[in-house]
Structures are given as structure tokens and as C-alpha cells.
């Protein structure tokens, strides 16, 4: 049901999903708490809510060692998104080294898996390489890895991860002040999210692009650079 909540949020549905005695169950089981924190961190990341993503991924790491091991498919998902969030936090946080270490651990995990199964893991590894390079201000390397992540996701038919790679590349180009590349990558991300069926995500992305363009028009990009990116809107009905 936690996954169902995320799906409904991504598609833009207002339907509420309740889990009986959820708080009690989470409080009694560290493995359930770990899963709950990851799901919260994931959806916060997808809708660019920085503070929530940082809070929940921190809680995820806090209970990680005392929880049961995850199934492989869950472990893949966890490694990718905890790594992406870690590099995002590293770019904004005072305790950057801790977050770099966490991101690097996820990156190396996916790199090892990519060596065994490029079809499944290559694009994920490239995307973490791109985010790490961005975090270290190695912009040329980041550009190359974003392109490789996009190409690999496209080749291997991971539409949602192709969308994500376009979106993260757009934030990268936004940071560099490359407006044409920023808008192009956001629009390509929107196209792929739409293909995936994530209408709620499409709505929030378009709202952010319009907000960004408004600030550009007003000459306020210096203000944009100082604020967390947060788009949590749902599709209007």
C-alpha cells in the first residue's frame, strides 16, 4: 500500500490510501520503518522536496543496519535513489563528506552490478556518476555521464529512468545557467514522464518550468539559485 500511495501521487490522483494501525506497526518493526522511510524519501525526491527527502533518507540510514535484508529488486531501487538523494544533499549540506560517502557507496554497488548486467544497471550507474561529478563541480564529466545515462535508459527501454535522467540533467544545466539546454531537457523529461503515465509528476514539472521562466523574465535567477527546488503540485481537476 505504500507503493500504491506513491503511484497515485505520481499519476496525480487525489485518492487516499490508509493502512490500519500504520504508526503502531512501523514503531514495532524496524524493517517496516526502513521501508516506510525509503518510500517517503523516494516520493519527496521525485517531487523535489529537499527537506523531506533529506529527513527521510537520514532516518532510512539510521535503521538500515538493524533491518532485515531487502529483496534484490528492492535493493536496486534503494541503491539508486538513496545515492541520488545523497549527492543532492551533499551539494547543499555542511556535512557533505558523509553524504558523498553514502552516494559513492550506492554508485559502486550499481557499478559492480552493471559489470554483470549492463542492460539492467548501466543507466543507473551512469546517472549516479553524473550526479557525483556535478557535486564535485566536474561539469564536463557530468555532461558526458548524463548523456550516457539518457542513452542507456533509452536503449534498454527504462522510460521512467530516461525521464529522470533528462530531469536531473535539466537541473544541472540550470545550475550552469544554460537556459536553452535547461528547458530542452525539462521538456524531454516531461515527454517521457507523460509516456510513463506520471501525470502528477508532469504537472509539477510544468509548474516549475513556468516558475523558472517567470524568474528569468524578471531577472531573478540569482534568487532561484539560493532556494530549494520544491514542486509538490498535483494535477488540477
Amino acid at each position: 500500500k505504500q507503493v500504491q500511495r506513491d503511484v497515485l501521487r505520481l499519476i496525480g490522483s487525489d485518492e487516499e490510501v490508509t493502512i490500519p494501525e500504520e504508526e503502531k506497526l512501523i514503531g514495532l518493526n524496524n524493517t517496516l520503518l526502513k521501508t516506510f522511510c525509503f518510500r517517503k524519501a523516494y516520493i519527496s525526491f521525485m517531487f523535489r522536496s529537499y527537506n523531506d527527502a533529506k529527513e527521510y533518507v537520514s532516518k532510512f540510514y539510521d535503521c538500515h543496519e538493524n533491518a532485515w535484508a531487502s529483496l534484490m529488486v528492492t535493493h536496486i531501487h534503494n541503491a539508486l535513489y538513496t545515492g541520488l538523494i545523497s549527492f543532492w544533499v551533499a551539494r547543499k549540506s555542511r556535512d557533505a563528506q558523509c553524504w558523498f560517502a553514502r552516494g559513492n557507496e550506492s554508485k559502486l554497488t550499481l557499478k559492480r552490478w552493471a559489470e554483470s548486467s549492463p542492460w539492467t544497471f548501466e543507466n543507473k550507474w551512469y546517472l549516479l556518476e553524473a550526479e557525483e561529478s556535478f557535486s564535485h563541480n566536474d561539469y564536463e564529466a557530468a555532461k558526458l555521464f548524463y548523456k550516457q545515462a539518457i542513452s542507456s535508459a533509452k536503449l534498454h527501454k527504462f522510460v521512467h529512468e530516461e525521464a529522470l535522467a533528462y530531469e536531473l540533467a535539466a537541473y544541472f544545466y540550470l545550475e550552469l545557467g544554460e537556459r536553452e539546454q535547461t528547458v530542452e531537457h525539462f521538456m524531454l523529461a516531461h515527454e517521457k514522464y507523460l509516456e510513463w503515465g506520471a501525470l502528477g509528476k508532469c504537472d509539477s514539472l510544468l509548474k516549475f518550468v513556468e516558475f523558472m521562466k517567470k524568474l528569468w523574465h524578471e531577472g531573478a535567477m540569482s534568487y532561484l539559485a539560493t532556494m530549494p527546488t520544491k514542486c509538490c503540485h498535483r494535477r488540477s481537476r
Side-chain angles (χ1 to χ4, degrees):
K1 290 210 174 214
Q2 290 176 341
V3 175
Q4 185 182 359
R5 280 179 184 157
D6 293 346
V7 171
L8 290 171
R9 178 78 181 279
L10 287 166
I11 67 175
S13 173
D14 292 324
E15 182 181 342
E16 295 292 336
V17 176
T18 59
I19 302 175
E21 298 187 331
E22 181 177 25
E23 290 186 10
K24 181 179 178 181
L25 291 170
I26 290 170
L28 294 173
N29 189 309
N30 206 55
T31 301
L32 288 178
L33 176 61
K34 172 188 167 185
T35 302
F36 174 82
C37 290
F38 175 76
R39 299 311 314 178
K40 286 287 191 179
Y42 164 76
I43 203 66
S44 298
F45 174 77
M46 290 301 295
F47 284 89
R48 304 304 286 178
S49 179
Y50 172 80
N51 290 333
D52 289 341
K54 181 181 179 182
E55 176 187 352
Y56 283 109
V57 84
S58 296
K59 291 178 179 178
F60 169 86
Y61 281 117
D62 287 343
C63 63
H64 182 65
E65 292 184 0
N66 297 319
W68 289 98
S70 303
L71 296 173
M72 184 63 176
V73 66
T74 304
H75 192 30
I76 295 165
H77 202 57
N78 288 1
L80 175 60
Y81 286 96
T82 57
L84 293 173
I85 294 169
S86 293
F87 287 131
W88 187 24
V89 175
R91 291 197 294 272
K92 295 175 175 287
S93 175
R94 292 180 179 178
D95 53 339
Q97 288 307 118
C98 169
W99 292 102
F100 278 130
R102 288 170 171 174
N104 188 58
E105 182 180 358
S106 292
K107 184 197 74 173
L108 292 178
T109 296
L110 283 163
K111 181 180 180 181
R112 287 194 300 271
W113 293 342
E115 290 167 354
S116 300
S117 179
W119 184 282
T120 305
F121 302 112
E122 183 184 73
N123 71 294
K124 301 170 181 64
W125 165 43
Y126 284 150
L127 190 55
L128 285 170
E129 289 280 9
E131 287 288 287
E132 182 180 43
S133 297
F134 178 17
S135 300
H136 287 300
N137 300 323
D138 188 350
Y139 299 140
E140 291 307 311
K143 287 180 182 180
L144 176 62
F145 281 123
Y146 283 122
K147 287 178 182 178
Q148 289 177 314
I150 291 165
S151 296
S152 180
K154 185 189 296 289
L155 177 65
H156 300 138
K157 313 301 181 184
F158 293 111
V159 174
H160 61 302
E161 290 173 0
E162 184 183 354
L164 180 61
Y166 275 126
E167 182 186 4
L168 296 182
Y171 291 120
F172 165 71
Y173 284 113
L174 177 62
E175 182 76 16
L176 297 188
E178 297 187 21
R179 297 185 183 186
E180 185 175 334
Q181 289 282 4
T182 298
V183 174
E184 178 182 349
H185 280 78
F186 273 132
M187 291 300 96
L188 288 167
H190 178 271
E191 177 183 322
K192 290 300 173 180
Y193 280 127
L194 190 61
E195 183 179 339
W196 189 39
L199 301 181
K201 174 63 181 178
C202 288
D203 179 67
S204 72
L205 203 59
L206 284 180
K207 283 181 168 64
F208 178 72
V209 171
E210 290 306 311
F211 173 68
M212 178 185 69
K213 287 181 176 179
K214 183 174 183 291
L215 291 182
W216 275 344
H217 180 71
E218 294 172 354
M221 283 308 295
S222 59
Y223 169 70
L224 178 62
T226 66
M227 63 177 294
T229 305
K230 182 173 182 179
C231 297
C232 302
H233 306 279
R234 294 189 179 180
R235 182 170 47 129
S236 57
R237 301 219 173 250

